[in-house]
Amino acid sequence: MGETAIVILLALILVALVVLIVVLVRRRSGAGKGAGTGAPPQPAAPRDPFAAGDQAGGDPRTIKAGDMIEYLGVRYFVRGSLRMREGGYTWAEHLLDADQLEGVKVWVSVEEDPDLEVVWWTETEMGDMSPSQKTITLDGVEYRREEHGTADYDSEGTTGLGVKGRVEYADYTGPKGRYLSFEQYGGGQWEAGLGERVPTGALTIYPGG
């Protein structure tokens, strides 16, 4: 073999090696970026397991007058809503129709502090109860006062109140997700209600449009 042929052969071998190296580098780079059909799936972004989007029956924060909600197998229409605000803190109370409890107010409150908390309320007779007391025992259950303050509200739909106003409130907490609340609208008489925390997913919301 002549000298010229040897030089050409070596050049071809060198070109082949360069091409092979380039191909291998590109394949390795593509695999590192998850490219190709055999690449593993990208991990999901971290998320809050208690986020409102996981509510099976809808997001309670969207409840408004005209909606229908179902709780413990009974359906209720939302007659009106109160949008409360105290400083930078906001929450909502929704008045429900209660034909099976004629003359008794039933409502549901929705707030985030910071987790979403939904409470089902039923009006109760006060008797000699007073929100000035630090503890109140009712039907054998002891409630301890947790909050006392005043808030502004906007009224929507049918609530029996004006479009805007102020409310004084006193909230008590009992065992196992039980609550007792007092509210006084516009300096009127105190109203009291007993509450129970609604488990996640136990409330189904049917939007009224």
Side-chain angles (χ1 to χ4, degrees):
M1 180 180 295
E3 183 177 345
T4 301
I6 294 174
V7 171
I8 294 174
L9 179 61
L10 291 174
L12 291 174
I13 293 174
L14 180 60
V15 170
L17 288 174
V18 170
V19 172
L20 179 61
I21 292 172
V22 170
V23 171
L24 292 175
V25 169
R26 286 184 176 179
R27 286 184 178 178
R28 180 171 298 179
S29 176
K33 295 179 181 178
T37 56
Q42 295 296 320
R47 57 194 299 275
D48 183 355
F50 299 102
D54 289 334
Q55 297 282 344
D59 186 351
R61 295 175 299 183
T62 65
I63 296 175
K64 63 185 182 305
D67 290 350
M68 177 185 287
I69 63 176
E70 182 175 339
Y71 181 56
L72 300 180
V74 180
R75 293 186 176 183
Y76 306 80
F77 278 106
V78 181
R79 301 191 61 197
S81 302
L82 295 175
R83 309 292 178 178
M84 308 285 200
R85 60 188 181 280
E86 183 179 11
Y89 183 62
T90 62
W91 69 98
E93 297 182 3
H94 307 284
L95 178 66
L96 311 177
D97 72 319
D99 293 338
Q100 72 279 13
L101 295 172
E102 187 174 354
V104 177
K105 289 183 180 180
V106 178
W107 68 97
V108 61
S109 65
V110 181
E111 60 181 304
E112 290 181 281
D113 189 25
D115 295 326
L116 185 65
E117 183 178 75
V118 182
V119 179
W120 189 269
W121 298 93
T122 304
E123 184 180 39
T124 186
E125 291 294 332
M126 290 179 54
D128 59 354
M129 291 187 297
S130 169
S132 62
Q133 301 170 356
K134 293 183 178 180
T135 61
I136 294 177
T137 300
L138 183 64
D139 296 332
V141 179
E142 184 179 78
Y143 299 87
R144 294 183 176 275
R145 191 173 64 199
E146 190 173 77
E147 292 182 285
H148 183 201
T150 57
D152 296 308
Y153 68 81
D154 294 318
S155 177
E156 305 170 359
T158 300
T159 63
L161 298 171
V163 177
K164 294 180 178 292
R166 288 181 64 82
V167 57
E168 182 179 359
Y169 66 89
D171 291 338
Y172 291 72
T173 302
K176 299 180 180 179
R178 297 182 181 182
Y179 302 93
L180 172 65
S181 179
F182 293 84
E183 294 180 332
Q184 185 183 54
Y185 291 91
Q189 295 183 339
W190 284 102
E191 300 177 6
L194 288 173
E196 59 180 19
R197 185 179 302 146
V198 176
T200 301
L203 197 72
T204 303
I205 304 166
Y206 302 92

